[in-house]
Amino acid sequence: MSSILKGNKLSVSVFGQSHSECIGAVIDGLPAGAEIDRDRINAFMGRRAPGQNFFSTLRKETDRPEFLSGLVDGVTCGAPLAFKIDNANAKSADYESLKKTPRPSHADYTAYVKFEGHNDIAGGGQFSGRLTAPLCCAGAICLQLLEEKGITVKSHIYSIKDVRDDAFNADNLFDSEIKLNPFFPVLNRFNGDRMKTVIQTAMENSDSVGGVIECAVLGLPTGLGEPMFDGMENIIAKNIFAIPAVKGIEFGSGFEGTLKYGSENNDDFTVKDGKISTVTNNHGGILGGITSGMPLVFRVAVKPTPSIGTEQTSVNLDTKKEEALTVRGRHDPCIVPRAVPAVEAVAAITVLDLLL
Amino acid sequence: MSSILKGNKLSVSVFGQSHSECIGAVIDGLPAGAEIDRDRINAFMGRRAPGQNFFSTLRKETDRPEFLSGLVDGVTCGAPLAFKIDNANAKSADYESLKKTPRPSHADYTAYVKFEGHNDIAGGGQFSGRLTAPLCCAGAICLQLLEEKGITVKSHIYSIKDVRDDAFNADNLFDSEIKLNPFFPVLNRFNGDRMKTVIQTAMENSDSVGGVIECAVLGLPTGLGEPMFDGMENIIAKNIFAIPAVKGIEFGSGFEGTLKYGSENNDDFTVKDGKISTVTNNHGGILGGITSGMPLVFRVAVKPTPSIGTEQTSVNLDTKKEEALTVRGRHDPCIVPRAVPAVEAVAAITVLDLLL
Amino acid sequence: MSSILKGNKLSVSVFGQSHSECIGAVIDGLPAGAEIDRDRINAFMGRRAPGQNFFSTLRKETDRPEFLSGLVDGVTCGAPLAFKIDNANAKSADYESLKKTPRPSHADYTAYVKFEGHNDIAGGGQFSGRLTAPLCCAGAICLQLLEEKGITVKSHIYSIKDVRDDAFNADNLFDSEIKLNPFFPVLNRFNGDRMKTVIQTAMENSDSVGGVIECAVLGLPTGLGEPMFDGMENIIAKNIFAIPAVKGIEFGSGFEGTLKYGSENNDDFTVKDGKISTVTNNHGGILGGITSGMPLVFRVAVKPTPSIGTEQTSVNLDTKKEEALTVRGRHDPCIVPRAVPAVEAVAAITVLDLLL
Amino acid sequence: MSSILKGNKLSVSVFGQSHSECIGAVIDGLPAGAEIDRDRINAFMGRRAPGQNFFSTLRKETDRPEFLSGLVDGVTCGAPLAFKIDNANAKSADYESLKKTPRPSHADYTAYVKFEGHNDIAGGGQFSGRLTAPLCCAGAICLQLLEEKGITVKSHIYSIKDVRDDAFNADNLFDSEIKLNPFFPVLNRFNGDRMKTVIQTAMENSDSVGGVIECAVLGLPTGLGEPMFDGMENIIAKNIFAIPAVKGIEFGSGFEGTLKYGSENNDDFTVKDGKISTVTNNHGGILGGITSGMPLVFRVAVKPTPSIGTEQTSVNLDTKKEEALTVRGRHDPCIVPRAVPAVEAVAAITVLDLLL
């Protein structure tokens, strides 16, 4: 099984390939009686849609989910909520030549072996970044339900290649003045401009870049998550790796925390307005797998888009001989900006499940 | 639920607290007919046992698992294999004072809230690093079964604080000459000596340090793992976060890969002896969640031991007032060396499950 | 969660309500490379479609599944296979009055409480027998894959009210001469005629009848199923109760076996053509939860259709006063014949999952 | 996997074989802060212990669970609660001869095939009725927690062979005067005497008998359980089949309900003291998989003990030739009375899980 995010109460069963008739998902376990705001779903999904800025792929996707079940007059009824998003503007012909010469660092080769050559190669098949569209739709719904509980999810581009944004901290997390550009969210606009330059350079060189996304969940109660195998870190990590191109995740101070002394990395407790919290948040809001009430903060490493326009070396799967390969078609030089809502969506689904 | 690593075929149900009568686990789903070599289990578990070197805790643990079921004359019979490890030499009195003043960056506070004050505080209760002992025993069993399939798990200390070891590469991974010290495994002994100095300095300052563990699984077939939610990265990540103090995981080039161009991070295909592989291994042996046949490589961030001897600020949970806290008792200034076998154990359990 | 049949390898995520835009399912985990014969799916689904005989509901359903994903040129590609079946000819108005006066022995009341009045009442919502259509489609696909493994599923109407058909036995199970009428399968046509008379009488009295379905799975290998909680009986039972109106299940001699002495109910072993089997099959092909290689036989109790045309006593959920209720609309006086393919479908999905 | 009852919040991981060092279980997910009364556990487990009456096996089992973890001063602490029950008085020699000549209608043969001859044959290994001891211990704990929520589980021997007790009805379910003999619970003592005569006759003939157990769960709220695959019937059925020798389950009027007209089997609604209920309870407290607030009633078919003293025909697994077999050792002529607490235990675990 592969396409099911199965939580305690909530499950999201994703379906579709890049060039199948449509893609979509079935969300099971949503509480009945929740009004679903389609405009907000569309707005959220617009953040991952291509064509929002100069460097994203030219493929035109309207990405309007069509709801198939689970709603009565726009309100959840307790039955599984299913929706589909039509695939349009697909150019399968572009991909035919890739069938026997897998693209480096794509899933073409592993899928070929696993599915014995029957995998859908067109557009990356089920491994396409396009499959984050149903994830985003499901996440947008969960975000609406979370907001009613006072919980918000906030994220930004932490880095593109070696250009870093500011990190989340007590100020910028809660400062209501800070508005993140939904299509290229950074805390510091100057950093954003430098990032865009890096992306543009990569594009001009028919190359690509990756980056890191930082995400925070605010407003969580203390005590969420289970020890050991079902802690917050375990579950969020498991679900985040569903997003294509993700190769790492860290919570709180994460890998950088290993450079510190315990006395630096430990977070002293304090009391504010009768409420217990910690002075710093190197633990990223999770201790022993359980939420501490501090912002849950994690970062996600997104590798450079493997589809690049320069010549690479592949192998012909029939002849087992090396072959030069130049990937054609339309590709983002950097998928990080469009992956941001996907990260938020997965965080929202995961957290809502634990709260139900 | 928290204490169950539930795979497709295999599950490991861990039980025990640091100071309960015993700790242990039930392994369900092992194939029948496997001979279990107890000496090798004991040797493996010895690697996580304390007292192996100058800086680890003084608590004496023999950690000999006693098998309760699942074996007939030392051979698995298809019934769940249960074992227990007695807890001895526990000094509960040391911890009594912590009940109301949680140790910074420990699970004391979150457990207190979650379990409404009923959590077992002694020795960290179920959040203690001691719970990695049953994990290691289960892992040692799985490692034996993996070996029969030609699969090995190899790992080393990648870094302690800012001291780095060499990274795994095509040479040191397969060079049979390289023997890793089981109690302090590094690829380059000189790095190991510098790491020990860092640890000793921390100990002398009543402080602690963390580090990164690099682990590789060799000999995996191509095609293991499922797309999207049940990929290798998803499952390994979920299970690795069961190890206390782990705050991050990355596969292949991971976070550092985000600093590269796609043209640098992509792994060209090649053919060796009629077998398809990749020239480099920035993908860490996983593409699209599925194994590529290259070594599966991941790194795990272990935070500095939160138990340190210097004074910190906690909060009295009754009075809700800040309170100075000096953690007493015996604590490792660095748990990284003892966490290495735990990482291998989790990798072994996870991988064996997918192979059954 | 409710709508997901989650096996080891295979899952079926069903969606839809009786009167939603469509119903359907996502099947995850099918092996890649399987050719899907749509004509046979349509033929199988025709068996549960209404309008096949004089007494079934007049609602016209073509029930042609439209495949949305998971296929490339009619062959499974490893991606989740999703399909939808449009809902047409729905008359929601018929049901509006039931919102506050639940039909006796329907799920109207329990769904109202569970979903706090937000449940979709039209046509029974997600509790409608209509939801067996996606089950049948999924089952038809699994049956095709089972056949390639030499496994067949055979079932008949064992009883309607107090009219019994012959039971399955070694002769009629394997006699290739016996052809079951797909729309009203009985082993003995005379029994079938008497059953139809009973149904017609019920219909003329605006009443309904139930019955028992007997199902056999032939060709299973020995050794399928796990001890204790994941035995064949456990899993089949769990899945069969997904079919609306099912209130009981028994394996082999079942409840009647409790009337026998052990010496009568035990099945002696024998050897035929070098193959071990049992002389009788009171154990229904399962011992200790594990298949014995004998036909897996079980019977399913289907209660009389709760929708009847005579006046009954309900309760107004607002006023909490008793109220007379006459259910209008089109209802089968007996759903047993149309439930037969649903039973086969669930058996097929369950068994295929264990074989993958 | 086989030995894990995995609920939403609660799991019970059972281990042990009839003649392993001990048997036991790990219960994960119990709420913290629950005081566990060991005397009541022992009393409950005494009901399944042998030697309570003239016909049960002579094997002496004290069955005192020893708690290994999960408790602090007798109160649950949120960590998995593990316990073991020592196996004593085992006579493995009795079973050696059975290794190659499987007992008819036992799991000897299927286990032999599944585990390729490595299964533990002694005393039935993991298929032994002895494994209901840990189930009963877990159930006894859950019953204590259910009682605090006002929920009770009541059951009686519904039939032994063809001797029936009265059925549960509105009177005897709620009449506090009716006290059931814990070791041979019947509603009508006269029926109980006749049942005992039947058992004694079987015993004198070296034969065995089976029967039916009726179980009711009282005090459940309305709205428990999920539609389709996770309804109350699905889950209870799945778990009940974990009890050895169970071959059928029915809810409410069950199989007998198929003999009625819909107008007879439907349960009219009524209002009592402002509370909605039904006049009759043919639906057994479940509609659409969801509890209705009426008593949840089900019956379980227990086959005649397959171990009988008369000669039967087996097959030598080596020579594949038929062989006469006379099962020696100590065997209950009827296990129904001792299975009653196991049924209650499974009901309690299942229901508690849904309430957490």
Side-chain angles (χ1 to χ4, degrees), chain D residues 249-295:
Chain D
I249 189 168
E250 59 181 6
F251 294 82
S253 60
F255 281 90
E256 281 197 13
T258 69
L259 302 175
K260 299 182 185 179
Y261 281 111
S263 58
E264 298 166 310
N265 196 57
N266 280 2
D267 300 307
D268 277 348
F269 283 104
T270 187
V271 178
K272 255 189 231 169
D273 308 328
K275 206 172 158 293
I276 294 168
S277 63
T278 58
V279 178
T280 45
N281 189 18
N282 290 315
H283 69 289
I286 308 171
L287 289 171
I290 302 168
T291 54
S292 70
M294 291 292 286

Coordinates of all heavy atoms in Angstrom, one line a residue, chain D residues 249-295:
Chain D
I249 N -20.5 -16.3 14.6 CA -21.0 -15.2 15.4 C -22.2 -14.6 14.8 O -22.3 -14.5 13.6 CB -19.9 -14.1 15.7 CG1 -20.3 -13.1 16.7 CG2 -19.5 -13.4 14.4 CD1 -19.1 -12.2 17.2
E250 N -23.2 -14.2 15.6 CA -24.3 -13.5 15.1 C -24.8 -12.4 16.1 O -24.5 -12.5 17.3 CB -25.5 -14.5 14.9 CG -25.9 -15.2 16.1 CD -27.0 -16.2 15.9 OE1 -27.4 -16.5 14.7 OE2 -27.5 -16.8 16.9
F251 N -25.4 -11.3 15.6 CA -25.8 -10.2 16.4 C -27.3 -10.1 16.4 O -27.9 -10.3 15.3 CB -25.1 -8.9 15.8 CG -23.6 -8.9 16.0 CD1 -22.8 -9.6 15.0 CD2 -23.0 -8.3 17.0 CE1 -21.4 -9.6 15.1 CE2 -21.6 -8.3 17.2 CZ -20.8 -9.0 16.2
G252 N -27.9 -9.8 17.5 CA -29.3 -9.6 17.6 C -30.0 -10.9 17.2 O -29.6 -12.0 17.7
S253 N -31.0 -10.8 16.4 CA -31.7 -12.0 16.0 C -30.9 -12.9 15.1 O -31.2 -14.1 14.9 CB -33.1 -11.7 15.3 OG -32.9 -10.9 14.2
G254 N -29.8 -12.4 14.5 CA -28.9 -13.2 13.7 C -29.5 -14.1 12.7 O -30.3 -13.7 11.9
F255 N -29.0 -15.4 12.7 CA -29.5 -16.4 11.7 C -31.0 -16.6 11.9 O -31.7 -16.8 10.9 CB -28.7 -17.7 11.9 CG -27.3 -17.6 11.2 CD1 -26.2 -17.2 11.9 CD2 -27.2 -17.9 9.8 CE1 -25.0 -17.1 11.2 CE2 -26.0 -17.8 9.2 CZ -24.8 -17.4 9.9
E256 N -31.4 -16.6 13.1 CA -32.9 -16.9 13.3 C -33.7 -15.7 12.7 O -34.9 -15.9 12.4 CB -33.2 -17.1 14.8 CG -32.8 -18.5 15.2 CD -33.5 -18.9 16.6 OE1 -34.4 -18.1 17.0 OE2 -33.1 -19.9 17.1
G257 N -33.1 -14.5 12.7 CA -33.8 -13.4 12.2 C -34.1 -13.6 10.7 O -35.1 -13.0 10.2
T258 N -33.4 -14.4 10.0 CA -33.6 -14.6 8.6 C -34.9 -15.5 8.4 O -35.3 -15.6 7.2 CB -32.4 -15.4 7.9 OG1 -32.3 -16.7 8.4 CG2 -31.1 -14.6 8.2
L259 N -35.4 -16.0 9.4 CA -36.6 -16.8 9.3 C -37.9 -16.0 9.5 O -39.0 -16.4 9.3 CB -36.7 -17.9 10.4 CG -35.5 -18.9 10.3 CD1 -35.5 -19.9 11.5 CD2 -35.5 -19.7 9.0
K260 N -37.7 -14.7 9.8 CA -38.8 -13.8 10.1 C -39.1 -12.9 8.9 O -38.3 -12.7 8.0 CB -38.5 -12.9 11.3 CG -38.2 -13.7 12.6 CD -38.0 -12.6 13.7 CE -37.6 -13.3 15.0 NZ -37.3 -12.3 16.0
Y261 N -40.3 -12.3 8.9 CA -40.6 -11.3 8.0 C -40.0 -10.0 8.5 O -39.8 -9.8 9.7 CB -42.2 -11.1 7.9 CG -42.8 -12.1 7.0 CD1 -43.7 -13.1 7.5 CD2 -42.6 -12.1 5.6 CE1 -44.3 -14.1 6.8 CE2 -43.2 -13.1 4.8 CZ -44.1 -14.1 5.4 OH -44.7 -15.0 4.6
G262 N -39.8 -9.1 7.6 CA -39.3 -7.8 8.0 C -40.2 -7.1 9.0 O -39.7 -6.5 10.0
S263 N -41.5 -7.3 8.9 CA -42.4 -6.7 9.8 C -42.2 -7.3 11.2 O -42.6 -6.6 12.2 CB -43.8 -6.8 9.3 OG -44.1 -8.2 9.2
E264 N -41.7 -8.5 11.3 CA -41.5 -9.1 12.6 C -40.1 -8.8 13.2 O -39.9 -8.7 14.4 CB -41.6 -10.6 12.5 CG -42.9 -11.2 12.0 CD -42.8 -12.7 11.6 OE1 -41.9 -13.0 10.8 OE2 -43.6 -13.5 12.1
N265 N -39.2 -8.7 12.2 CA -37.8 -8.5 12.7 C -37.4 -7.0 13.0 O -36.5 -6.7 13.7 CB -36.8 -9.0 11.6 CG -35.4 -9.2 12.1 OD1 -35.2 -10.0 13.1 ND2 -34.4 -8.6 11.5
N266 N -38.2 -6.1 12.3 CA -37.9 -4.7 12.6 C -38.2 -4.3 14.0 O -39.2 -4.9 14.6 CB -38.8 -3.8 11.6 CG -38.2 -3.7 10.2 OD1 -37.1 -4.3 10.0 ND2 -38.8 -3.0 9.4
D267 N -37.5 -3.4 14.6 CA -37.7 -3.0 15.9 C -38.3 -1.6 16.0 O -37.6 -0.6 15.6 CB -36.4 -3.0 16.7 CG -35.7 -4.3 16.7 OD1 -36.4 -5.3 17.2 OD2 -34.5 -4.5 16.3
D268 N -39.6 -1.5 16.3 CA -40.2 -0.2 16.4 C -39.5 0.7 17.4 O -39.0 0.2 18.4 CB -41.7 -0.3 16.8 CG -42.6 -0.7 15.6 OD1 -42.1 -0.5 14.5 OD2 -43.7 -1.1 15.8
F269 N -39.5 2.0 17.2 CA -38.9 2.9 18.1 C -40.0 3.3 19.2 O -41.2 3.2 19.0 CB -38.5 4.2 17.4 CG -37.2 4.1 16.7 CD1 -37.2 4.0 15.3 CD2 -36.0 4.1 17.3 CE1 -36.0 3.8 14.6 CE2 -34.8 3.9 16.6 CZ -34.8 3.8 15.3
T270 N -39.5 3.7 20.3 CA -40.4 4.1 21.4 C -39.6 5.1 22.3 O -38.4 5.4 22.1 CB -40.9 2.9 22.3 OG1 -41.9 3.4 23.1 CG2 -39.7 2.3 23.1
V271 N -40.3 5.8 23.1 CA -39.7 6.7 24.0 C -40.0 6.4 25.5 O -41.2 6.1 25.8 CB -40.2 8.2 23.7 CG1 -39.6 9.2 24.7 CG2 -39.9 8.6 22.3
K272 N -39.0 6.2 26.3 CA -39.2 5.9 27.7 C -38.4 7.0 28.5 O -37.2 7.1 28.3 CB -38.6 4.6 28.0 CG -39.7 3.5 28.2 CD -39.1 2.2 28.7 CE -39.5 1.0 27.9 NZ -38.8 -0.2 28.1
D273 N -39.1 7.7 29.4 CA -38.5 8.7 30.2 C -37.7 9.6 29.4 O -36.5 10.0 29.7 CB -37.5 8.0 31.2 CG -38.2 6.9 32.0 OD1 -39.5 7.1 32.2 OD2 -37.6 5.9 32.4
G274 N -38.2 10.0 28.2 CA -37.5 11.0 27.4 C -36.4 10.5 26.6 O -35.7 11.2 25.9
K275 N -36.2 9.1 26.7 CA -35.0 8.5 26.0 C -35.5 7.6 24.9 O -36.4 6.8 25.1 CB -34.2 7.7 27.1 CG -32.8 7.5 26.7 CD -32.0 6.9 27.9 CE -30.7 6.3 27.4 NZ -30.9 5.1 26.5
I276 N -34.9 7.8 23.7 CA -35.4 6.9 22.6 C -34.7 5.5 22.7 O -33.6 5.4 23.0 CB -34.9 7.6 21.3 CG1 -35.6 8.9 21.1 CG2 -35.1 6.7 20.1 CD1 -35.1 9.8 20.0
S277 N -35.6 4.6 22.5 CA -35.1 3.2 22.5 C -36.0 2.4 21.5 O -36.8 3.0 20.8 CB -35.1 2.5 23.8 OG -36.4 2.4 24.3
T278 N -35.8 1.1 21.4 CA -36.6 0.3 20.6 C -37.4 -0.7 21.4 O -37.0 -1.1 22.5 CB -35.8 -0.5 19.5 OG1 -34.9 -1.3 20.2 CG2 -35.1 0.5 18.6
V279 N -38.6 -1.1 21.0 CA -39.5 -1.9 21.7 C -38.8 -3.3 21.8 O -38.8 -3.9 22.9 CB -40.9 -2.0 21.0 CG1 -41.8 -3.0 21.8 CG2 -41.5 -0.7 20.9
T280 N -38.4 -3.8 20.7 CA -37.7 -5.1 20.7 C -36.2 -4.9 20.4 O -35.8 -3.7 20.1 CB -38.3 -6.0 19.6 OG1 -38.5 -5.3 18.4 CG2 -39.7 -6.6 20.1
N281 N -35.4 -5.9 20.4 CA -34.0 -5.7 20.1 C -33.4 -6.7 19.2 O -32.4 -7.3 19.4 CB -33.2 -5.7 21.5 CG -31.7 -5.3 21.3 OD1 -31.4 -4.7 20.3 ND2 -30.9 -5.6 22.3
N282 N -34.2 -6.9 18.1 CA -33.7 -7.9 17.1 C -32.4 -7.4 16.4 O -31.7 -8.2 15.8 CB -34.8 -8.1 16.0 CG -35.9 -8.9 16.6 OD1 -35.7 -9.9 17.3 ND2 -37.1 -8.5 16.3
H283 N -32.2 -6.1 16.5 CA -31.0 -5.5 15.9 C -29.7 -5.7 16.8 O -28.6 -5.3 16.4 CB -31.2 -4.1 15.5 CG -31.3 -3.1 16.6 ND1 -32.4 -3.1 17.5 CD2 -30.5 -2.2 17.1 CE1 -32.2 -2.2 18.4 NE2 -31.1 -1.6 18.2
G284 N -30.0 -6.2 18.0 CA -28.8 -6.4 18.9 C -28.0 -5.2 19.2 O -26.8 -5.3 19.5
G285 N -28.7 -4.1 19.2 CA -28.0 -2.9 19.7 C -27.1 -2.2 18.7 O -26.4 -1.3 19.0
I286 N -27.1 -2.7 17.4 CA -26.3 -2.1 16.4 C -27.1 -1.9 15.1 O -27.7 -2.8 14.6 CB -25.1 -3.1 16.1 CG1 -24.3 -3.5 17.3 CG2 -24.1 -2.4 15.1 CD1 -23.3 -4.6 17.1
L287 N -27.0 -0.7 14.6 CA -27.7 -0.4 13.3 C -26.7 0.3 12.4 O -26.1 1.4 12.8 CB -28.9 0.4 13.5 CG -30.1 -0.3 14.1 CD1 -31.2 0.7 14.5 CD2 -30.7 -1.3 13.2
G288 N -26.4 -0.2 11.3 CA -25.4 0.4 10.4 C -24.0 0.4 11.0 O -23.2 1.3 10.7
G289 N -23.7 -0.6 11.8 CA -22.4 -0.7 12.5 C -22.3 0.2 13.7 O -21.3 0.1 14.4
I290 N -23.3 0.9 14.0 CA -23.3 1.9 15.1 C -24.2 1.6 16.2 O -25.3 1.1 16.0 CB -23.6 3.3 14.5 CG1 -22.7 3.7 13.4 CG2 -23.6 4.4 15.6 CD1 -23.2 4.9 12.6
T291 N -23.7 1.7 17.5 CA -24.6 1.4 18.6 C -25.8 2.2 18.7 O -25.8 3.4 18.4 CB -23.8 1.5 19.9 OG1 -23.3 2.8 20.0 CG2 -22.7 0.5 20.0
S292 N -26.9 1.6 19.1 CA -28.2 2.3 19.1 C -28.6 2.7 20.6 O -29.6 3.3 20.8 CB -29.3 1.3 18.6 OG -29.5 0.3 19.5
G293 N -27.7 2.3 21.5 CA -28.1 2.5 22.9 C -28.8 1.4 23.6 O -28.9 1.3 24.8
M294 N -29.3 0.4 22.7 CA -29.9 -0.8 23.3 C -28.8 -1.8 23.6 O -27.7 -1.6 23.2 CB -30.9 -1.4 22.2 CG -32.1 -0.6 22.0 SD -33.3 -0.6 23.4 CE -34.0 -2.2 23.3
P295 N -29.1 -2.8 24.5 CA -28.0 -3.8 24.8 C -27.4 -4.3 23.5 O -28.1 -4.8 22.6 CB -28.7 -4.8 25.6 CG -29.9 -4.1 26.2 CD -30.3 -3.1 25.2

